[in-house]
Amino acid sequence: QVTLRESGPALVKPTQTLTLTCTFSGFSLSTTGMCVSWIRQPPGKALEWLALIDWDDDRYYSTSLKTRLTISKDTSKNQVVLTMANMDPVDTATYYCARIRSSGWYPGKYYFDYWGQGTLVTVSS
Amino acid sequence: QSVLTQPPSVSGAPGQRVTISCTGSSSNIGAGYDVHWYQQFPGTAPKLLIYGNTNRPSGVPDRFSGSKSGTSASLAITGLQAEDEADYYCQSYDISLRVWVFGGGTKLTVL
């Protein structure tokens, strides 16, 4: 059974760095084709893809946010961590982690088959 | 402004058929990349509804179907039910941006 769960602070101040952890089970991020991604959704707005890390430790970032984002993994702990620097009130959103399972590096076929429940992060002083 | 364009809202009466469009460009859908669809109820995480343009994960009713042509894709829901009232998002990959992209979402209202 595949599960993912996001954890992190519910409230951060402007200019602070946000650190979110995705703890997963039911699969291994060292298996070829496995990836974990972060996606966010501001209240009442659309989904926005943020970052992806794959089984080979390759990392991909949103073009508009890449200077602020860092994604990393700890395979032994089944965790993926996302940091976002210089938080702003516009970054207030529910942050989700989600799994991608593929047979290899086929980005054009990637979809998110399992999602965490999400964690709401509010940026306010 | 989303890379993939969806109508903000669609509606239909119970039992009817509705479609939700997802329009992209030559750098995403038109480039041959797959389109996937997600269903999201208020306060919950998105759920995979259609993958690889036309495929339904186990447990998704066959009332839901997907199609793709050129630079666009569509989600069709037949035999509309009250429980289908939700937000729907399309997703693909963009080779120019080298990122995964979502549509702006469509709110389905069952009248």
Side-chain angles (χ1 to χ4, degrees):
Chain A
Q1 180 187 3
V2 174
T3 65
L4 302 98
R5 186 183 76 251
E6 306 87 352
S7 58
L11 179 66
V12 297
K13 291 179 170 27
T15 75
Q16 287 187 334
T17 294
L18 171 68
T19 299
L20 295 174
T21 300
C22 176
T23 303
F24 57 86
S25 64
F27 67 97
S28 173
L29 202 37
S30 60
T31 300
T32 298
M34 291 296 183
C35 312
V36 170
S37 210
W38 286 93
I39 296 148
R40 72 178 179 179
Q41 184 174 37
K45 296 189 177 181
L47 300 167
E48 179 185 18
W49 177 80
L50 298 177
L52 180 147
I53 190 165
D54 70 14
W55 71 97
D56 211 19
D57 208 30
D58 291 319
R59 308 163 195 210
Y60 305 88
Y61 297 103
S62 160
T63 306
S64 60
L65 294 169
K66 66 185 307 179
T67 60
R68 299 172 54 205
L69 295 173
T70 303
I71 191 170
S72 61
K73 65 183 174 84
D74 185 330
T75 304
S76 65
K77 291 184 179 179
N78 280 352
Q79 290 182 332
V80 171
V81 174
L82 180 77
T83 64
M84 180 180 289
N86 194 24
M87 293 291 284
D88 183 272
V90 299
D91 296 314
T92 293
T94 296
Y95 287 74
Y96 297 99
C97 61
R99 186 191 80 158
I100 293 165
R101 186 187 70 169
S102 178
S103 55
W105 175 241
Y106 304 110
K109 294 189 175 296
Y110 282 8
Y111 57 89
F112 310 101
D113 60 352
Y114 287 92
W115 296 62
Q117 63 187 17
T119 185
L120 175 61
V121 178
T122 301
V123 184
S124 175
S125 54
Chain B
Q1 198 80 328
S2 300
V3 173
L4 303 178
T5 301
Q6 298 179 233
S9 63
V10 298
S11 62
Q16 284 188 334
R17 177 181 187 270
V18 296
T19 61
I20 298 173
S21 61
C22 175
T23 302
S25 68
S26 58
S27 64
N28 41 69
I29 299 175
Y33 296 120
D34 285 353
V35 178
H36 321 288
W37 292 88
Y38 303 86
Q39 178 188 56
Q40 184 181 35
F41 297 106
T44 69
K47 168 194 162 187
L48 180 66
L49 195 64
I50 298 286
Y51 67 94
N53 306 313
T54 61
N55 303 292
R56 285 186 309 276
S58 174
V60 173
D62 60 6
R63 301 187 295 105
F64 295 90
S65 63
S67 64
K68 175 187 154 185
S69 178
T71 58
S72 295
S74 289
L75 173 70
I77 310 171
T78 59
L80 204 57
Q81 298 180 6
E83 66 200 50
D84 299 331
E85 191 162 285
D87 293 325
Y88 294 84
Y89 293 90
C90 59
Q91 175 249 312
S92 187
Y93 178 73
D94 190 286
I95 188 63
S96 293
L97 300 172
R98 297 190 184 277
V99 299
W100 291 268
V101 292
F102 287 95
T106 298
K107 180 175 180 58
L108 169 63
T109 300
V110 180
L111 302 171

